[in-house]
Amino acid sequence: MNVLVTGGAGYIGSIVVEELLKNSHRVAVLDNLSTGHRDSVDNLARLIEGDIKDQQLVEQTLTENNIEAVIHMAGSSQVAESVLFPEKYYDNNVVAGKVLLDAMRATKVQKIVFSSTAAVYGEAERQPIVETDKLEPTNPYGETKLQFENELRRNHEEHGLGYVSLRYFNAAGASKNCGERHDPETHLIPMVLQAALGRLPHINIFGDDYPTRDGTCVRDYIHVIDLAHAHVLALNSLDGVAAAYNLGCGGRGYTVREVIDAAREVTGRSIPEAITGRRQGDPAVLIASSERISRELGWKPEFQDLGVIISSAWEWLRQNGFE
């Protein structure tokens, strides 16, 4: 299949591209490189530098590459930033998304996989979260992702668009060639590894008095290769379908302290920590059930062990000169 990956030069997007190529798909990447990296895009994929808000460029890209389906990963994705700059998130996640859908409709591309977020659920009443739970996001990031999901549903009802939305919390780990290099970095696992490298003085633990097994917050962490594989699987289910699937670690999740302890074991290094107060709005537990996608699409994570996830990220950092 000829597939366009928007945001395919980013952390998750670049590994989705790798998985598509492994599965014999032909791939074009559209990315404005505002947060992505040119050298993260596999040489077998065609990189077009540009913005999805440029409808003429998107239509040209879809047509020239004979695109049959889109995996949409472009957008803004930091919760804290979204609170400070909600207009940016509406522009990048909703307005730009509508332009993409208009371009797809104009070129008769009728299939899309959307990289959404479990933040669309907000502070869910039960854990693990399932797809039928209320959609009540608590920040502009989750709100704008949900708004675009609603646009997908509208386009399905009015124009027959086939779509799958994949909702998840924390991608982590690395492939052999691609890993996390955000600036600034806000994700726990790469920050813990930066502390192991001495690039951070310590890792903050925001509260150790939660009603969890060790007092620290529990979250999902999914290996980015497993996440990419789910996007590839979703491509095969797009004929006239309108669906949303959670991607979760399938168990109890991992506490902040378990992540730090696992990183100490993997790296063999001391990782200083500092207990600080709770952050406003941090729920004690956020984990998502992936039972539906496992049952309906056959998704089976292969790299779910926390040590495996952290080891892959650590090896990528060391191989790429971060040590």
Side-chain angles (χ1 to χ4, degrees), residues 81-194:
E81 183 189 50
S82 77
V83 175
L84 295 174
F85 306 106
E87 300 86 358
K88 171 185 176 180
Y89 276 68
Y90 181 75
D91 190 44
N92 289 344
N93 294 351
V94 182
V95 174
K98 289 180 180 180
V99 173
L100 173 64
L101 292 178
D102 289 343
M104 289 175 62
R105 190 164 61 253
T107 54
K108 296 181 170 53
V109 179
Q110 287 285 83
K111 299 178 179 181
I112 184 170
V113 177
F114 175 45
S115 186
S116 188
T117 173
V120 297
Y121 297 106
E123 296 185 22
E125 296 176 354
R126 61 176 174 175
Q127 303 289 336
I129 301 166
V130 297
E131 290 85 352
T132 53
D133 285 338
K134 292 180 181 179
L135 302 175
E136 296 181 341
T138 56
N139 54 67
Y141 168 58
E143 289 171 359
T144 54
K145 287 286 193 173
L146 179 56
Q147 283 179 281
F148 187 71
E149 286 199 21
N150 291 335
E151 285 296 320
L152 291 174
R153 186 176 66 251
R154 184 179 66 80
N155 275 264
H156 170 75
E157 293 169 352
E158 296 179 4
H159 306 291
L161 179 73
Y163 76 89
V164 168
S165 291
L166 298 177
R167 301 167 176 165
Y168 53 92
F169 284 114
N170 300 296
S175 69
K176 182 178 179 181
N177 298 315
C178 297
E180 288 191 77
R181 43 174 167 162
H182 302 117
D183 184 20
E185 185 57 73
T186 61
H187 296 159
L188 178 61
I189 288 177
M191 289 182 70
V192 169
L193 295 179
Q194 286 184 13

Side-chain angles (χ1 to χ4, degrees), residues 217-244:
C217 290
V218 176
R219 296 291 185 266
D220 268 336
Y221 296 92
I222 308 173
H223 199 293
V224 66
I225 293 177
D226 287 329
L227 200 64
H229 186 222
H231 285 75
V232 176
L233 279 176
L235 277 178
N236 301 321
S237 66
L238 287 173
D239 287 324
V241 166

Side-chain angles (χ1 to χ4, degrees), residues 226-298:
D226 287 329
L227 200 64
H229 186 222
H231 285 75
V232 176
L233 279 176
L235 277 178
N236 301 321
S237 66
L238 287 173
D239 287 324
V241 166
Y245 295 108
N246 291 341
L247 301 174
C249 61
R252 301 185 306 162
Y254 303 106
T255 70
V256 173
R257 193 171 294 285
E258 286 168 348
V259 171
I260 297 171
D261 288 344
R264 289 179 177 133
E265 184 174 347
V266 166
T267 65
R269 300 191 181 190
S270 172
I271 300 176
E273 62 184 56
I275 307 296
T276 65
R278 294 188 183 190
R279 291 183 299 192
Q280 184 176 3
D282 259 355
V285 179
L286 283 177
I287 55 175
S289 168
S290 55
E291 180 181 343
R292 176 181 285 181
I293 192 171
S294 297
R295 182 178 67 250
E296 296 184 7
L297 300 187

